[in-house]
Amino acid sequence: RAKLAVTSHCVNWFEPELPWYGSGNTRRARLRLRPVFRRIIDKADIIFSVSEFLKSRLCVLFNANPSKIIVVGNGAERPYYDAGAGSATRNYGKEDVAPYVVVIGPVQRRKGSDYVFAVADQLNILDRSITIKMICGRAVSREYEGELNRHPNVELFPYVGLDKLPDILAGAKALLFLSRYETFGIPAAEAMAAGVPVVVSSFAGLPEIVGDAGIVADATDPAGIAGIILRLFRDRQFHEKYRCLGRERAAGFRWEDCAKRVTQAMEDR
């Protein structure tokens, strides 16, 4: 008889326009999860959503009542904000450090790895000094194993913990986040907290999360994205603009604020 609050993070299995909608794994997941989501929609007194985008998809896909869906967001840990405090001088003050862009997440289609490798091709033509560091642990899907050998400007990194990742991120000139489907996209929040300009795809919830503080790009235009990256490397004023805007926006993505929204919603009910 207790009231029930449930958090939803993703509904990608139910999105017909996604390239993997018809795959065997996705079909099986959809069959298994549909009754679970149906029970959540019918029985939960509060549904916590990580973004307005996800809230709207729950309403469209499951006819959920929007009045019981509360957007509480996600957050970034304190070390990212601490690393970002010195980012103003870090990115342009050390000419001896090889310039790099960071990509965080598994090497797979959902995370936009095909777009990333296409951008790597363009950067290899335009400026071979720029390296793309893909921090993905060991999560590399089979379809991309050959791609890693084909791109000399892409470096694959194993798992990096919270003791190192904020500094690696803060030392980058940009975060490249071309994911095909994110309802929030925590790496974008972490990068903005660390004082790193973010270049994200226009898909799903990413434009909502970065707002005007990030650069929303057409993931299918690798030449255009490579041009954006080059400008971030060469135009200090342009880089500083998005560093400052990102730090400002990241102030709204602290876990303590997320927790307050959760507790406030439960108190209100």
Side-chain angles (χ1 to χ4, degrees):
R1 289 177 296 178
K3 289 187 176 181
L4 177 66
V6 180
T7 301
S8 175
H9 286 278
C10 194
V11 290
N12 86 92
W13 311 276
F14 306 103
E15 300 280 15
E17 78 281 2
L18 292 177
W20 55 86
Y21 179 80
S23 72
N25 286 340
T26 303
R27 284 201 304 270
R28 286 188 289 273
R30 190 160 55 247
L31 288 171
R32 177 172 56 85
L33 291 171
R34 190 178 296 279
V36 175
F37 271 83
R38 190 72 269 160
R39 287 197 299 273
I40 289 172
I41 299 301
D42 292 342
K43 295 186 177 182
D45 296 280
I46 301 176
I47 300 170
F48 291 122
S49 168
V50 297
S51 64
E52 291 290 347
F53 168 79
L54 178 57
K55 177 178 179 176
S56 70
R57 298 312 295 156
L58 288 167
C59 294
V60 169
L61 295 169
F62 296 98
N63 197 30
N65 180 355
S67 67
K68 70 177 184 179
I69 303 176
I70 309 297
V71 177
V72 295
N74 273 319
E77 281 82 1
R78 186 172 299 277
Y80 292 100
Y81 295 93
D82 294 341
S87 61
T89 57
R90 187 188 311 234
N91 286 311
Y92 277 95
K94 297 182 179 179
E95 300 301 330
D96 58 324
V97 177
Y100 63 91
V101 175
V102 167
V103 174
I104 298 175
V107 181
Q108 57 182 223
R109 183 165 46 158
R110 174 179 167 176
K111 294 297 182 179
S113 295
D114 45 347
Y115 304 131
V116 172
F117 287 121
V119 172
D121 281 334
Q122 292 296 315
L123 289 175
N124 195 43
I125 296 169
L126 298 171
D127 190 337
R128 294 188 178 184
S129 70
I130 299 174
T131 300
I132 297 177
K133 293 187 177 184
M134 300 186 77
I135 302 175
C136 64
R138 300 183 184 277
V140 180
S141 61
R142 290 182 180 178
E143 63 183 311
Y144 294 111
E145 288 175 352
E147 288 289 335
L148 294 170
N149 297 325
R150 200 172 66 80
H151 293 86
N153 56 346
V154 175
E155 295 181 14
L156 193 66
F157 282 76
Y159 171 78
V160 177
L162 194 58
D163 58 327
K164 295 180 180 178
L165 185 55
D167 283 333
I168 293 175
L169 193 53
K173 290 288 178 65
L175 172 81
L176 187 59
F177 198 21
L178 304 180
S179 182
R180 182 61 183 82
Y181 192 85
E182 298 289 335
T183 55
F184 186 88
I186 288 179
E190 293 170 342
M192 289 189 292
V196 179
V198 295
V199 182
V200 302
S201 67
S202 58
F203 297 123
L206 286 173
E208 173 192 339
I209 300 309
V210 303
D212 294 334
I215 302 170
V216 180
D218 178 1
T220 65
D221 179 17
I225 294 173
I228 292 169
I229 291 172
L230 285 178
R231 187 177 177 189
L232 285 169
F233 273 66
R234 297 171 180 176
D235 185 337
R236 185 166 188 163
Q237 189 173 4
F238 183 66
H239 183 281
E240 182 66 7
K241 170 187 174 181
Y242 284 101
R243 186 193 72 81
C244 292
L245 287 173
R247 286 278 288 172
E248 247 176 71
R249 188 160 182 85
F253 295 130
R254 295 180 185 272
W255 282 119
E256 51 265 38
D257 295 330
C258 180
K260 286 176 184 176
R261 289 189 285 269
V262 170
T263 54
Q264 185 62 55
M266 291 193 289
E267 289 171 2
D268 291 343
R269 297 299 169 101

